Amino acid sequence: MADGGDFWDGLDRRVATFDREAAGVAADRAEEERQRVLAEFPLTAWPDLPLERYALGPSAYEAPGRSFCRLMEYGTNAIGSIRGGSAKKHIVYQHRTGEWRIAPSALRGLGAREAWAQVRAEFVGAFAAAAEGAYERIDELESLSYGQALTTKALAVYFPDQFLPIFSAAHVRHFTALLGGRPRDAYSAGVPTWRANRELLVLVRKTPVFDGWRLHEVMRFLYAFHDPRPKNRQVWKIAPGAGARLWDDCLANGRIRVAWDEVGSLGQYESDQDLKDVLDQYWPQSAGGNLRLARQLLAFRDLEPGDPIVANRGKSEVLAVGTVTEGYTYIPDLETHRHAVRVDWDTSYSQHFDAPRHAWQQTFAKVPDTLWREIRQGRRASSTGGGAAEEGAGEGFGVELPDAVRTVMDLLDHKGQVVLQGPPGTGKTRLALSVALALAGRAADIDAPPEERAAALSALSRVPEGAEAARLTMVTFHPSYGYEDFVEGFKPNPSADGSGLNLTMTDGLFRRVCAAAEKAPHETFLIVVDEINRGDLPRVLGELITLLELDKRGSVSVTLPTSGRQQTVPPNVRIIGTMNSADRSVGHIDAAIRRRFAFLDVPPDLDVLDGEIEGLGLADFLGGLNAKLEDAFAPGHLLGQAYLLAGDQPLVTAEQLSHAFHHEIVPLVSDYCLGQPDLLRSVLGALVDDSTGRVVQTNPQDLPGLLAAEFVAAGTARERRTGDQDADVRQGE
């Protein structure tokens, strides 16, 4: 596959290998779906279309095809997908409570039917404008801007020769830049998707190779060879029911199903908190873990075609690896496990692990990159008759970047500097150093054994002979760190005759990195600033804050006040800062600096705690503890997974757990509580002695049971419930 960087390079080869016949069959299916829409919702019916025939809502979930919005989202996948996200994209919709919701703020003072009358009039106006070729008039319809994907798809349905079947704004802009149109970052926020779609259509029609092609064939070609979605997407493990009891159905029908049917269609939820509130109503005893479950269910809802899925039975068996073919749907006719995603399964990946994966006892689990490689290698070994397969054989998998690393790199490309913020122990510095490896082309070392990873980072941090700085420079900010350390200043140096000290103008760390970057413009130089908020940033950065913006890199210079020298910031310099969100000793970052940095939350990652000690699941323990900490304080005062890791691996002995709990976790929690025994007791419960207000000391062998009783009790009670749902909570068991 082409990498999407240059559309014209190798175009003839890609056209020759493209299965246009299959694309034509898909285009025929799309036309059949389009004719269904025209039959059920002819243009002549729109001026009087009732709200219930238009809107997505609880009643529409029970009757596929009943409403226009449901048909657009769930019944016309061959035309093009607008699945994923909440019902808000439909502009006017009925919430699960029965309440009508209206997206445009200007219409919220109206009743639902009055608001719908205005939205309907705008749809009618958009269709009339398209029929007359007066596309600029559509841009004036403000309410439709709240549902641009839906509006663009509707226009493509009624006017199939005037709009491409591509409805994502980001995808349209990606393909436009690919075909020589304006760059993705050249679009203003006010350019609607339908206008960008028309611009892309003009480029397509100017491309000779597409002469005589149907627009659906063009769309499939672009996605086949230049898919804008990340190539290395998050891999999810999803259990098909308790003990994989639904596997035969999932395999035969090409899908994956999960329970929690009581919450209804996941498409009606606007946020993870919205879904958590409903989960809390049905399972209040599990409220501590329901936010995580809500996020997992919404991730399931938002799976896209091409996303990989692993189906498992228990903690040690892979049943198959699948590729999502169609997004989420809610199937009310099923007796149970009504949430479904269409999947093309490949059972050649079936295998058993040598050791159980404790995180797999849950229905959902992220598959770390190392485990994903192990699963693929297991398939390659079995498919070649046993024996180890050669690296890169079979499927041609290359080195993959972890999702978090890709996210940071995207932010660096967009902003130039990023602050990773989160509670202690969430791996912020490790993530920053993983990005350093990726930027240096050493992605294979990100998940290498600790000694190999450390050696790779050491090599990156080594200053080459004759150079001013290494490609990776680390520094820790603190209250005494200043401008003279980071930029330039007079520093005392011994005099030549040894009689005293002379003040010498000395380049600071940042100037040295900039000088090295100017001499090697094709390499990226990264500065990792640990504890960035502990420094006085306005004082440390001084006038250089102006030059951090990407559009000023390499072209704008400032005069340094101490030396009078000119300073620019090369385009190939990047900065990553880490910030402990629980640190009360530092103030907020001021607005001028905040505006020049992208900020990324790094929450606790329970999925890496694939371990169990004396029956205590480490992920369950940390999740329960963090739920109590969040109730007592705020999300910034949680604990990260690093407290339960030894190196890169989960703790394995009760002695290790006891040491981590009593000597690392308890002191931090006590600090959060500011010496208040009642507050400490609200977090640690029975582990705090009532008479002394101190945490009790226990035999290490007894500690796992005490922690399970205090922090995993809700999950245990939930497991004891009868019926399918209780099994689904721990489907992997």
Side-chain angles (χ1 to χ4, degrees):
M1 290 177 65
D3 63 8
D6 186 350
F7 175 76
W8 308 103
D9 184 29
L11 177 60
D12 292 340
R13 175 182 53 81
R14 295 196 297 279
V15 170
T17 59
F18 178 60
D19 190 346
R20 193 172 168 192
E21 181 179 352
V25 172
D28 290 339
R29 289 201 309 270
E31 180 59 20
E32 291 173 3
E33 291 180 351
R34 195 181 77 84
Q35 290 300 326
R36 178 188 174 191
V37 178
L38 297 182
E40 295 190 26
F41 299 92
L43 278 176
T44 55
W46 271 88
D48 301 308
L49 189 69
L51 175 58
E52 289 75 12
R53 284 283 287 154
Y54 165 81
L56 201 64
S59 60
Y61 296 128
E62 304 297 329
R66 177 175 179 178
S67 76
F68 178 78
C69 289
R70 180 165 179 80
L71 193 57
M72 287 291 98
E73 184 164 4
Y74 297 109
T76 51
N77 292 310
I79 293 176
S81 176
I82 60 169
R83 291 192 184 194
S86 75
K88 216 170 176 182
K89 61 176 174 282
H90 293 292
I91 311 175
V92 179
Y93 63 98
Q94 191 176 22
H95 190 251
R96 57 183 171 77
T97 59
E99 173 192 0
W100 286 99
R101 297 272 175 99
I102 303 165
S105 55
L107 301 183
R108 289 177 190 164
L110 303 177
R113 300 191 186 282
E114 291 80 4
W116 162 237
Q118 291 198 33
V119 173
R120 179 179 60 197
E122 292 198 10
F123 270 109
V124 172
F127 298 148
E132 298 170 16
Y135 307 107
E136 68 282 354
R137 294 205 326 244
I138 305 176
D139 297 351
E140 301 170 4
L141 304 173
E142 294 185 4
S143 296
L144 298 189
S145 66
Y146 288 83
Q148 294 189 27
L150 172 69
T151 302
T152 306
K153 184 171 183 177
L155 289 166
V157 165
Y158 289 110
F159 306 95
D161 295 328
Q162 300 175 37
F163 294 89
L164 279 159
I166 302 173
F167 313 123
S168 161
H171 294 186
V172 169
R173 296 176 183 192
H174 169 83
F175 293 135
T176 298
L178 192 71
L179 268 65
R182 59 169 127 181
R184 278 170 284 180
D185 57 4
Y187 285 90
S188 70
V191 177
T193 304
W194 52 78
R195 193 205 305 174
N197 184 291
R198 288 281 306 165
E199 292 181 12
L200 176 58
L201 179 61
V202 170
L203 293 171
V204 166
R205 287 180 170 157
K206 289 181 178 179
T207 304
V209 73
F210 293 140
D211 287 347
W213 286 42
R214 298 156 74 180
L215 293 184
H216 270 272
E217 294 173 345
V218 174
M219 177 266 286
R220 290 185 175 275
F221 178 87
L222 291 174
Y223 276 106
F225 294 102
H226 303 281
D227 195 333
R229 294 167 296 183
K231 291 182 175 62
N232 306 316
R233 296 173 231 173
Q234 176 63 59
V235 183
W236 283 93
K237 186 283 308 179
I238 305 177
R245 67 182 183 84
L246 298 175
W247 176 237
D248 289 342
D249 168 84
C250 290
L251 182 61
N253 292 290
R255 61 191 180 189
I256 186 71
R257 293 164 53 192
V258 301
W260 295 282
D261 304 331
E262 291 87 338
V263 304
S265 173
L266 300 175
Q268 62 191 308
Y269 296 100
E270 299 177 11
S271 67
D272 52 9
Q273 189 62 48
D274 192 18
L275 178 53
K276 176 187 181 299
D277 291 342
V278 177
L279 291 169
D280 288 346
Q281 293 174 20
Y282 285 104
W283 300 284
Q285 70 273 32
S286 304
N290 282 340
L291 181 59
R292 183 180 181 217
L293 174 59
R295 290 170 176 167
Q296 292 171 334
L297 284 169
L298 294 186
F300 177 80
R301 178 197 70 183
D302 294 340
L303 287 170
E304 296 182 348
D307 284 339
I309 290 177
V310 176
N312 70 298
R313 188 193 336 259
K315 302 176 185 178
S316 303
E317 182 180 1
V318 172
L319 296 168
V321 168
T323 302
V324 173
T325 57
E326 292 183 14
Y328 167 81
T329 189
Y330 181 72
I331 310 176
D333 294 338
L334 292 174
E335 182 179 350
T336 185
H337 295 70
R338 297 170 179 168
H339 306 288
V341 169
R342 301 286 298 181
V343 180
D344 181 16
W345 293 110
D346 184 346
T347 57
S348 67
Y349 287 91
S350 176
Q351 59 191 274
H352 286 80
F353 298 134
D354 293 335
R357 308 286 168 169
H358 296 289
W360 282 28
Q361 64 187 355
Q362 305 285 349
T363 300
F364 301 102
K366 292 180 181 178
V367 179
D369 298 299
T370 50
L371 180 56
W372 180 225
R373 284 196 292 271
E374 181 182 336
I375 291 171
R376 295 200 315 270
Q377 289 166 354
R379 184 256 187 174
R380 291 202 293 272
S382 63
S383 65
T384 55
E390 294 183 10
E391 187 63 31
E395 299 167 58
F397 288 101
V399 176
E400 299 176 355
L401 292 178
D403 185 61
V405 172
R406 286 198 312 272
T407 299
V408 176
M409 292 178 70
D410 288 344
L411 291 173
L412 287 174
D413 286 342
H414 175 69
K415 204 76 174 180
Q417 40 277 331
V418 176
V419 170
L420 308 178
Q421 59 185 7
T426 55
K428 298 180 290 295
T429 302
R430 179 183 176 84
L431 174 56
L433 295 177
S434 296
V435 173
L437 291 169
L439 290 173
R442 307 190 65 162
D445 293 313
I446 291 176
D447 292 315
E451 59 277 5
E452 294 180 21
R453 177 184 164 96
L457 290 169
S458 176
L460 281 182
S461 303
R462 194 174 302 119
V463 180
E465 185 176 352
E468 288 83 356
R471 294 186 63 182
L472 169 63
T473 302
M474 288 199 67
V475 62
T476 300
F477 280 4
H478 51 80
S480 297
Y481 196 88
Y483 181 88
E484 61 278 8
D485 303 300
F486 195 66
V487 183
E488 67 171 12
F490 287 101
K491 294 290 188 70
N493 281 319
S495 59
D497 57 7
S499 61
L501 297 174
N502 294 326
L503 290 178
T504 306
M505 175 59 66
T506 305
D507 287 338
L509 178 152
F510 189 69
R511 267 188 59 83
R512 295 196 301 272
V513 170
C514 288
E518 287 176 349
K519 294 178 180 178
H522 300 297
E523 296 181 350
T524 301
F525 287 74
L526 176 65
I527 301 173
V528 175
V529 182
D530 222 12
E531 307 289 354
I532 191 170
N533 57 325
R534 295 189 64 83
D536 184 348
L537 292 183
R539 176 175 178 266
V540 171
L541 297 175
E543 63 284 337
L544 291 186
I545 188 64
T546 301
L547 303 183
L548 291 181
E549 295 179 277
L550 286 182
D551 62 351
K552 296 182 176 63
R553 298 287 188 92
S555 58
V556 177
S557 64
V558 296
T559 302
L560 301 180
T562 307
S563 66
R565 295 179 291 186
Q566 294 295 303
Q567 178 67 50
T568 60
V569 177
N572 54 327
V573 172
R574 297 290 184 264
I575 301 174
I576 299 178
T578 69
M579 186 167 74
N580 184 349
S581 57
D583 194 343
R584 296 187 301 268
S585 66
V586 292
H588 295 291
I589 294 177
D590 73 44
I593 293 174
R594 183 172 290 275
R595 190 169 64 248
R596 289 166 171 85
F597 282 79
F599 286 76
L600 179 67
D601 288 323
V602 183
D605 184 2
L606 302 186
D607 293 302
V608 305
L609 295 176
D610 183 17
E612 194 173 274
I613 298 177
E614 304 292 334
L616 172 70
L618 296 181
D620 293 334
F621 161 53
L622 187 60
L625 174 58
N626 277 340
K628 289 194 171 187
L629 288 170
E630 186 167 3
D631 287 342
F633 304 104
H637 287 69
L638 307 183
L639 272 72
Q641 67 278 1
Y643 289 94
L644 298 176
L645 296 174
D648 295 333
Q649 300 300 316
L651 305 181
V652 294
T653 69
E655 288 75 17
Q656 287 178 316
L657 177 63
S658 178
H659 184 279
F661 180 73
H662 287 293
H663 302 296
E664 298 180 54
I665 294 175
V666 168
L668 184 59
V669 173
S670 299
D671 181 62
Y672 287 169
C673 295
L674 295 172
Q676 302 177 55
D678 290 342
L679 191 54
L680 184 63
R681 192 174 292 109
S682 72
V683 176
L684 299 182
L687 293 164
V688 177
D689 185 88
D690 287 335
S691 60
T692 65
R694 296 178 179 176
V695 176
V696 298
Q697 296 292 319
T698 64
N699 184 293
Q701 301 304 318
D702 295 330
L703 183 61
L706 293 173
L707 296 179
E710 186 62 46
F711 299 106
V712 195
T716 304
R718 185 172 170 181
E719 285 185 70
R720 285 198 293 264
R721 293 188 302 105
T722 59
D724 287 340
Q725 189 67 48
D726 107 274
D728 197 69
V729 172
R730 299 281 185 174
Q731 279 184 19
E733 294 184 340

